[in-house]
Amino acid sequence: MLSEFDLISRYFTRAPRSNLAQIALGVGDDCALLIPGAGKQLAISTDMLVEGRHFFPDADPFTLGHKCLAVNLSDLAAMGARPLAFTLALALPAVHEEWLAAFSGGLLALADEHQCELIGGDTTKGPLNICITVFGETAPGQALRRDAAQAGDDIWVSGTLGDARLALAVYRQELGAELSADLKLGSDSFKLAATRMHQPTPRVALGQALRGIAHAAIDISDGLAGDLGHILARSSVGATLAVDSLPAGAVLGRQNLAIRRHFTLAGGDDYELCFTAAADQRGAVLAAAQSAATAVTRIGSIDAQHGLRLRDAGNSTLDLQLASFDHFLST
Amino acid sequence: MLSEFDLISRYFTRAPRSNLAQIALGVGDDCALLIPGAGKQLAISTDMLVEGRHFFPDADPFTLGHKCLAVNLSDLAAMGARPLAFTLALALPAVHEEWLAAFSGGLLALADEHQCELIGGDTTKGPLNICITVFGETAPGQALRRDAAQAGDDIWVSGTLGDARLALAVYRQELGAELSADLKLGSDSFKLAATRMHQPTPRVALGQALRGIAHAAIDISDGLAGDLGHILARSSVGATLAVDSLPAGAVLGRQNLAIRRHFTLAGGDDYELCFTAAADQRGAVLAAAQSAATAVTRIGSIDAQHGLRLRDAGNSTLDLQLASFDHFLST
């Protein structure tokens, strides 16, 4: 059996890839040493993923490795920060080399894509738990904060929403006859939706492109309505959303109106960006989106009046009961 | 029942205490924002503590909160870094307010003692798991790295060793008649040793005082022999230790020679610093120790010849079979 240190050394230690001047010392000492660029701020976020809660016990280890880093990169994206590095803490019930090889493969492939270096970590025996802390760089005053939305701002969302939540509904057999006939476990439609759940795409390029253009931003991990709610609370504003113009995922778009509304508004695991920008910045937002090769959709506006108002396609008020995903309330 | 967000808000969010210029944005956004002082490096370390592995299921939550941060601060100390801030990721099987109040109390009391600000985190439902990532500041070239030991250096250790391991042996009933008669579960001697196990003191002031004086340093979490071994490996040197001059803890000092040798050399959970310094720096080391109000003991020397040699009080070679604590090998 591999010892803890052999294990770390074999799967997670490698020559630095990115040659970032900001990394003075990586894996292997009591601490890693980072040097942010002159005058730069360091953006820091941490996310913990637990078996049975954030992923299935039989989750594919390659996509799991991808997802664990992706959800952290998504937080950097929501701040407009450029990824630099991350630490990984890993509790494993036992050492399975095949699993570790695949997990580190998925993790490090995404890390390489974003030139984000693994600089430290910890491994221990315990129920499967993966905790990543990620570091990015941004210039002072340029971070996209939750408290910066202003009345009159447009509200935008990147990509599409709800396919991840739809895949979860199929796994859980929550919906039966309401679903389109092609959406069965193992079908092509299902696999398409499940990919959104298992391999989210952090909108890293878009977040950076929006610096100086967007006011507030957040990444959508717990559902649009709930996450937008954090912007509203911290900015002391309200919002009106055009529910039927929310961009549904490719598979969700073929479901009925009630399911579409519910899963675009209160899905979860989307890892798209929701952001606000002044109405006179529409051209700049679209240009930033194009430069980042990421679609964006205008979905509503920020109001001085507190609360979240939902409108349908005919501009009538909708009264939907929504519960954003909350880790302690949802079981 | 409290929701996840209420929980965070109630126990872990508070007005910043330290007014550190380095913290531009704390808890509550997608990322925290740190600004290291001009020309400073950021030292980063992460440690994950798992129930049943690093602490007992019925561990006192106040001392547990202390210990989780202490083991991370100990990594900063071993680098000679000044604590700035930390993130906390917490998986809890359920929300028990009494437990959370005590845990955050122990955690934040130690944080305040070191002016180390809680700047972000994550909470989720799952088997109890506590992952902290800590941030400190040091000047370029001043960090105490593992790879900087030089042949001819003295080897030093702070404080005393082995009482934490002795307490564990009592909990586990590993030793019976070999132990001194006063060392029973619940006795004053036992409580004294157990305090070393449950409430380690990170040698933060000593680490900083040793900058510019010590060459290499490491904190002793897995046992002196094993952790010194990391310095030897990374510095490509060997060492000779005077085993009978290792400073035993107050309770361990009253045990027989075999137990004293074993638990000072290969205990675990000591969180003392082991460091090396040139022989002409003995006065400077002692002055640094005095300024940090922390005892230090000279325990051996670094050799060009690889390997670890153990000598007894009569300078004869000892051949002890030692296994440093390793999370995957020890069960």
Side-chain angles (χ1 to χ4, degrees):
Chain A
M1 193 177 190
L2 279 176
S3 86
E4 175 184 4
F5 296 102
D6 291 341
L7 182 166
I8 295 170
S9 155
R10 186 169 308 181
Y11 295 105
F12 298 105
T13 308
R14 51 182 196 163
R17 298 298 168 96
S18 50
N19 270 323
L20 279 175
Q22 290 89 339
I23 298 168
L25 182 63
V27 172
D29 214 305
D30 297 291
C31 296
L33 294 174
L34 268 192
I35 318 172
K40 292 293 174 79
Q41 296 187 335
L42 207 62
I44 299 168
S45 183
T46 193
D47 270 303
M48 177 177 267
L49 279 80
V50 176
E51 182 179 86
R53 189 84 203 147
H54 302 91
F55 55 90
F56 297 124
D58 62 348
D60 173 75
F62 186 92
T63 56
L64 181 60
H66 171 101
K67 183 167 182 173
C68 291
L69 183 57
V71 303
N72 278 280
L73 291 172
S74 182
D75 284 312
L76 291 185
M79 215 73 188
R82 180 168 77 97
L84 289 179
F86 68 105
T87 61
L88 167 71
L90 189 58
L92 294 172
V95 177
H96 292 299
E97 297 196 49
E98 202 177 332
W99 190 95
L100 271 168
F103 176 81
S104 68
L107 180 83
L108 297 176
L110 186 65
D112 287 348
E113 193 180 314
H114 293 281
Q115 293 187 278
C116 189
E117 200 77 36
L118 178 59
I119 56 167
D122 191 18
T123 57
T124 184
K125 189 165 179 166
L128 184 54
N129 183 307
I130 303 147
C131 184
I132 287 180
T133 304
V134 74
F135 309 99
E137 200 176 68
T138 184
Q142 291 219 324
L144 307 175
R145 298 169 57 143
R146 294 181 182 178
D147 60 5
Q150 296 176 21
D153 277 1
D154 294 327
I155 304 173
W156 300 79
V157 70
S158 67
T160 63
L161 300 171
D163 268 2
R165 182 64 183 84
L166 184 65
L168 183 64
V170 175
Y171 278 120
R172 286 182 175 167
Q173 302 185 293
E174 289 174 340
L175 299 165
E178 302 98 314
L179 294 178
S180 61
D182 63 322
L183 195 49
K184 303 273 181 254
L185 270 175
S187 71
D188 288 346
S189 294
F190 169 74
K191 286 178 188 163
L192 189 59
T195 298
R196 288 297 306 266
M197 178 179 172
H198 297 306
Q199 285 198 279
T201 303
R203 301 302 187 184
V204 172
L206 179 64
Q208 291 173 78
L210 289 171
R211 292 190 294 202
I213 298 170
H215 285 151
I218 193 168
D219 74 315
I220 305 174
S221 54
D222 296 339
L224 171 65
D227 286 323
L228 174 60
H230 295 303
I231 289 184
L232 303 186
R234 290 184 69 90
S235 300
S236 293
V237 292
T240 303
L241 285 183
V243 173
D244 294 328
S245 56
L246 294 176
V251 188
L252 181 59
R254 295 199 295 271
Q255 309 307 313
N256 72 38
L257 183 66
I259 295 175
R260 282 208 314 274
R261 284 176 171 171
H262 195 88
F263 286 176
T264 50
L265 265 175
D269 259 5
D270 294 306
Y271 299 102
E272 297 293 352
L273 297 186
C274 173
F275 58 96
T276 82
D280 64 8
Q281 293 293 307
R282 285 176 193 171
V285 167
L286 293 171
Q290 192 163 32
S291 78
T294 306
V296 295
T297 307
R298 193 154 49 84
I299 60 171
S301 60
I302 296 291
D303 312 321
Q305 187 194 344
H306 286 209
L308 178 62
R309 286 157 291 282
L310 307 177
R311 301 288 173 117
D312 67 12
N315 205 29
S316 298
T317 301
L318 274 172
D319 185 19
L320 300 179
Q321 296 299 316
L322 298 169
S324 179
F325 184 73
D326 184 291
H327 293 297
F328 285 101
L329 289 177
S330 64
T331 51
Chain B
M1 195 179 189
L2 279 175
S3 85
E4 176 184 3
F5 296 103
D6 291 340
L7 183 165
I8 296 170
S9 155
R10 186 169 309 180
Y11 295 106
F12 298 105
T13 308
R14 52 182 195 161
R17 298 297 168 97
S18 51
N19 270 323
L20 279 175
Q22 290 90 338
I23 298 169
L25 181 65
V27 172
D29 213 306
D30 297 292
C31 295
L33 294 174
L34 268 193
I35 318 172
K40 293 293 174 80
Q41 295 186 334
L42 207 62
I44 298 169
S45 183
T46 194
D47 270 305
M48 177 177 266
L49 280 79
V50 176
E51 182 178 86
R53 190 83 204 149
H54 302 91
F55 55 90
F56 297 124
D58 62 350
D60 173 75
F62 187 92
T63 55
L64 181 60
H66 172 101
K67 183 166 182 173
C68 291
L69 183 58
V71 304
N72 278 281
L73 290 172
S74 182
D75 284 312
L76 290 185
M79 216 71 188
R82 179 167 77 97
L84 289 180
F86 69 105
T87 61
L88 167 71
L90 189 58
L92 295 172
V95 176
H96 292 298
E97 296 196 49
E98 201 177 334
W99 189 96
L100 271 168
F103 177 81
S104 69
L107 180 83
L108 296 176
L110 186 65
D112 286 347
E113 192 180 316
H114 293 281
Q115 294 187 277
C116 189
E117 200 76 36
L118 177 60
I119 55 167
D122 192 18
T123 58
T124 183
K125 189 166 179 164
L128 185 55
N129 184 307
I130 302 147
C131 184
I132 286 179
T133 304
V134 73
F135 309 99
E137 200 176 70
T138 185
Q142 291 220 323
L144 308 175
R145 298 168 56 141
R146 295 181 182 178
D147 60 6
Q150 296 176 21
D153 277 1
D154 294 326
I155 304 173
W156 299 79
V157 70
S158 66
T160 63
L161 300 171
D163 268 2
R165 181 64 183 83
L166 185 64
L168 184 64
V170 176
Y171 277 120
R172 286 182 174 168
Q173 302 184 292
E174 288 174 343
L175 299 165
E178 302 98 315
L179 294 179
S180 61
D182 63 322
L183 196 48
K184 303 277 180 252
L185 269 176
S187 72
D188 287 347
S189 294
F190 169 73
K191 285 177 190 165
L192 189 59
T195 298
R196 288 296 307 265
M197 177 180 172
H198 297 307
Q199 285 197 278
T201 302
R203 302 302 186 182
V204 172
L206 179 64
Q208 291 173 77
L210 289 170
R211 292 189 294 201
I213 298 170
H215 285 151
I218 192 168
D219 73 316
I220 305 173
S221 54
D222 296 339
L224 171 64
D227 287 322
L228 174 60
H230 295 302
I231 288 183
L232 303 185
R234 292 185 67 91
S235 299
S236 292
V237 292
T240 303
L241 284 183
V243 173
D244 294 329
S245 57
L246 293 176
V251 188
L252 181 59
R254 296 198 295 271
Q255 309 308 312
N256 73 38
L257 183 66
I259 296 176
R260 282 208 314 274
R261 284 176 172 171
H262 195 87
F263 286 176
T264 50
L265 264 174
D269 258 6
D270 294 306
Y271 300 101
E272 296 293 351
L273 297 187
C274 172
F275 58 96
T276 82
D280 64 9
Q281 293 292 306
R282 285 176 194 172
V285 167
L286 293 171
Q290 191 162 33
S291 78
T294 307
V296 295
T297 307
R298 193 153 50 84
I299 59 171
S301 59
I302 296 291
D303 312 322
Q305 186 193 345
H306 286 208
L308 178 62
R309 287 157 290 283
L310 306 177
R311 300 289 173 114
D312 66 13
N315 205 28
S316 298
T317 300
L318 275 171
D319 185 18
L320 300 178
Q321 296 300 315
L322 299 169
S324 180
F325 184 74
D326 185 289
H327 292 298
F328 286 100
L329 289 176
S330 63
T331 52

